Amino acid sequence: MNLKRLTAAGALVLLATAACSMTTEAITQKPYAPSDGIRVHLDSDVVFENLMIISDGNGEGVLYGLVNNRSEEAVTAEISGGDITESFDVEASSHLNFSTAELAENDELILIEGDFQPGYNVDTIVTAGGAEAPATIPVITACASGYEDAFPDAQCD
């Protein structure tokens, strides 16, 4: 192959590669929840992070996640729908994590009962600071790695 053909082939490959990056939006520029739970932005100041229900498969679940309040005022955040009605007071410029290992050790996790199984989704409404949004919260098995603290007696294979 002569040098002209090799240069032309290289330029064609470079042009094709550049065209691909021009037509495809970079996924890393979009916010996403890198976890099993979901993220719900109510506004720029209040965000529900990593919302999920950990279930033992027997009609009980534990609500996991946190509420991040970036505003200069305290807010009351609420999750309601299905069999869930929970509210949280979150101080200004802080967050409230209702799924810590310390809460699990002290049996202070938010226990909910309902007709759901791992793999289900629970339709809810989340509110805070006068804003509201729908949230479809996934139900995750207590047997999944990292969630054993929610139900230490869960029958896992």
Side-chain angles (χ1 to χ4, degrees):
M1 184 179 255
N2 68 23
L3 186 59
K4 272 187 169 180
R5 285 188 177 169
L6 186 58
T7 303
L12 185 60
V13 167
L14 182 63
L15 182 60
T17 305
C20 288
S21 66
M22 290 173 39
T23 60
T24 303
E25 188 175 343
I27 194 70
T28 57
Q29 299 301 316
K30 291 185 175 186
Y32 67 99
S35 66
D36 294 326
I38 62 167
R39 174 182 289 161
V40 182
H41 288 263
L42 289 180
D43 57 30
S44 61
D45 292 331
V46 180
V47 180
F48 287 78
E49 304 271 1
N50 200 27
L51 286 181
M52 68 181 102
I53 297 168
I54 308 302
S55 175
D56 66 351
N58 293 317
E60 283 190 325
V62 172
L63 187 63
Y64 262 44
L66 66 88
V67 182
N68 191 0
N69 179 12
R70 299 177 190 143
S71 74
E72 308 252 340
E73 297 178 16
V75 297
T76 298
E78 185 175 294
I79 302 172
S80 61
D83 296 312
I84 303 170
T85 303
E86 295 293 334
S87 63
F88 315 95
D89 293 324
V90 187
E91 296 298 320
S93 301
S94 69
H95 69 277
L96 176 65
N97 186 343
F98 44 88
S99 56
T100 64
E102 182 179 320
L103 291 175
E105 287 175 11
N106 296 326
D107 292 325
E108 297 174 349
L109 293 172
I110 299 170
L111 185 65
I112 54 176
E113 293 183 10
D115 183 25
F116 50 79
Q117 297 292 319
Y120 285 20
N121 291 304
V122 178
D123 292 324
T124 64
I125 300 291
V126 295
T127 60
E132 73 175 44
T136 302
I137 301 176
V139 180
I140 308 296
T141 179
C143 296
S145 178
Y147 304 122
E148 301 90 355
D149 290 344
F151 288 97
D153 298 331
Q155 300 299 315
C156 302
D157 295 340

